[in-house]
Each structure stands twice: as structure tokens, then as C-alpha cells.
Amino acid sequence: MRNFLKNSCLAIASAILSLAPLKVEAALLVASRASNTVLRYDEQTGAFIDAFIPAGSGGLNGPTSLALGLDSNLYVTSYYNSSVLRYDGQTGTFIDTFIPSGSGGLSSPESIAFGPDNNIYISGLDGNGIRRYNGQTGAFIDTVVGFDPLGGDELNSPDFAFAEDNDLYISSVLPSNGVLRYDTATNETNIFIPQENAPAIPGGLTIGSDNNLYIGDFSPVGSIRRYNSQTGSLIDVFVSPGSGGLSQASRLAYGPDSNLYVTSFGSDSVLRFNSSTGAFIDAFVPASSGGLDEPIGLLFTTNNSVKASEPVSSLGIFGFSAYLSVSLLLKGKKTRTAK
């Protein structure tokens, strides 16, 4: 009877623990567009681990951007077939085509992010603009920003970022190379950084811990500029042109060490810079490591924990506590019997 109770509690605890969604193992994931893979690297050392998503898995053709969903799965934009694919966040196994090719006019997707409303926002080239999709079903909702307000041309946007007030900063290229700001309260889009003050070819952008806006230059000799996020005025050239071999700065992200990481598209590497001074630290992922070829999107999984896993995890703790309680009870009974 004692063994039956003990084994039953252990089985219940294990079953409840198994319900808790697992988080992606701590790592740096990089979209390698030319090799049609998502590569995984050690987040502490930059050492190559494996092809987390093997070449062409699920029809992947030109991955450009990565995002973790509330379901703990990985969403990847597939540039050359204009779709979004979903993969298991633990194993990299293909799950489904979450947003089919061309849905809602999706074309040449460049960047993907889950917005404050938990829906998916996607920017792209070929007049894609910024489009929004249901974060649970993938259904098209609307085009948030479709045109460049300066000349009325269809918007071509490599990247975007949400501000604290949920407004959007949007890099714009071809034919107008500047930065736009979309006001979520008024639904108006304005020129935030005009072409004459912007990087030659605005690429990736992000908001720093100092609340300033950092924008990469996709020019052959890349750089990163820092702007005041309230006024759009240039503060400084934060990373000087070509620093550390920077060429075509495609995307920017802050790592778990709080430093700034940049995918250098032209040198097939991921470079690390001091987040306070902009000084080059190292080639965190050296050129072509693991077959890296035309890197664009990057994602530190430790910076993207999924809140939805917490309530279920507490059930696992309850189950394990039940097991320990019964074990102690049986142990006490055994001791009293021995006396």
C-alpha cells in the first residue's frame, strides 16, 4: 500500500509538471537568409551549437526575422515566399504555415514582432508597409501603415520598434530613406527623421535603455546612429562606420549582458558593442560560423520568457509538494512502527 501511494503521487506530480510549457533553451538564434536556416549559438560564448531549424524546413526560404509567441513557439518570416512559418520552440520542428503566402497582401516580409495587443506586426519590402495579423489565428486584420507620408509611395520598411507609449518607429527605404513615427492614438504617420538626417540606408532599429533610438545603416560600411526618441534630433554616431568590420548593419538587439549585438549582413557575422560607449568588443559570432550566410534577424531567447507558462508551472510545484508530503508521512509512519 505504501509503495502504491508513493508511486501514484510521483506519477501525478510528473504528469502535472509535464503540463508546463517549456521555454526555448537559452541561446542566441540568428536567421541566416542565404542558407535558409535558423542557427543556434551559445548565448555566453557565441560558439555554434546547431542548425535549430534545418535548411528549408517547412518550406523556409530566406528567413529574415524571428519572434517568440505566447505559445512559446518560434515564428519566422520567410522572405522569398512571403509567409510566416511556426516551429516548436524547444525542438525547432516545423508545426505549420501560420500566415500563408501573400495573405492580406503580405510581400517580402522583413521583420516580425508581437505587439502590445498580442497581435503580429510585420514590415517588409515591395510595398508591404506594416501589416497586422491575429496573434492566435494568423488571420489578416489590417494594414497599419501603408504609405510613406512624404511622397505617398508604398512603404518599404526593413524594421520597426514599439516605443513605451506603443507608438511605432519605422525605418523607411526606397525611394525615401528616413524614419517614420506612427501615433497609435491618432493613427497618423509622420516623418520623424527626414532623409537628410537619417542613415544613408536605414536598416535595423531599436530603443535603448536610455530611451534613445538606435538605427543601423545598411550601407557597405555600416554604422549605428543614436537619436533622441522624442525630438528625432541626432545625438551622435554611436558606432563609427566599419567599426569591428561592420558592414550592412541589418538588425540590432540587446543581449543578456546588456551589450548591443548587431548582425553584420555584409561580413556574415554578429558583432558585439559596448552599450554605454559604442566601442567594439568582439565578433561574438565570427564570420560564417556554423554556415552563417547573410544574417538578418537575431533573438536572445532569455530576453523573451513567456509569462503564460507561470500559472501552469505552479501546478507542477503543487504536485511535487504533494509527493514530498506523502513521502514524509510514510517515512514518519515507518519510524513510529519501528519504535
Side-chain angles (χ1 to χ4, degrees), residues 1-11 323 326-327 330:
M1 181 65 178
R2 181 175 68 249
N3 288 336
F4 173 76
L5 287 171
K6 184 176 181 180
N7 291 335
S8 296
C9 286
L10 180 58
Y323 164 68
V326 172
S327 296
L330 291 174

Side-chain angles (χ1 to χ4, degrees), residues 63-148:
T64 53
S65 186
L66 314 167
L68 278 178
L70 291 176
D71 57 2
S72 298
N73 290 316
L74 184 66
Y75 295 74
V76 184
T77 49
S78 186
Y79 182 87
Y80 292 114
N81 53 24
S82 299
S83 59
V84 176
L85 309 181
R86 177 166 55 174
Y87 299 85
D88 185 283
Q90 278 294 310
T91 66
T93 302
F94 175 69
I95 297 176
D96 58 13
T97 300
F98 191 72
I99 299 176
S101 180
S103 173
L106 184 64
S107 180
S108 304
E110 283 276 340
S111 290
I112 183 172
F114 282 85
D117 56 2
N118 292 330
N119 289 314
I120 292 177
Y121 292 71
I122 304 175
S123 73
L125 304 182
D126 293 334
N128 183 85
I130 306 287
R131 298 175 187 268
R132 177 165 49 182
Y133 296 80
N134 186 291
Q136 294 185 336
T137 68
F140 175 68
I141 298 176
D142 58 8
T143 299
V144 178
V145 181
F147 298 92
D148 186 323

Side-chain angles (χ1 to χ4, degrees), residues 34-59:
S35 64
N36 296 322
T37 58
V38 174
L39 304 179
R40 177 163 55 174
Y41 301 89
D42 186 289
E43 67 163 11
Q44 299 295 325
T45 67
F48 174 68
I49 298 175
D50 59 12
F52 185 69
I53 298 177
S57 173

Side-chain angles (χ1 to χ4, degrees), residues 127 146-156 172 174-176 180 191:
F147 298 92
D148 186 323
L150 183 61
D153 298 296
E154 288 185 318
L155 177 63
N156 296 286
S172 172
L174 306 171
S176 179
L180 313 180
I191 303 294

Side-chain angles (χ1 to χ4, degrees), residues 1-2 327-338:
M1 181 65 178
R2 181 175 68 249
S327 296
L328 291 172
L329 180 63
L330 291 174
K331 184 177 181 180
K333 181 177 180 180
K334 182 178 179 180
T335 302
R336 288 193 297 272
T337 302

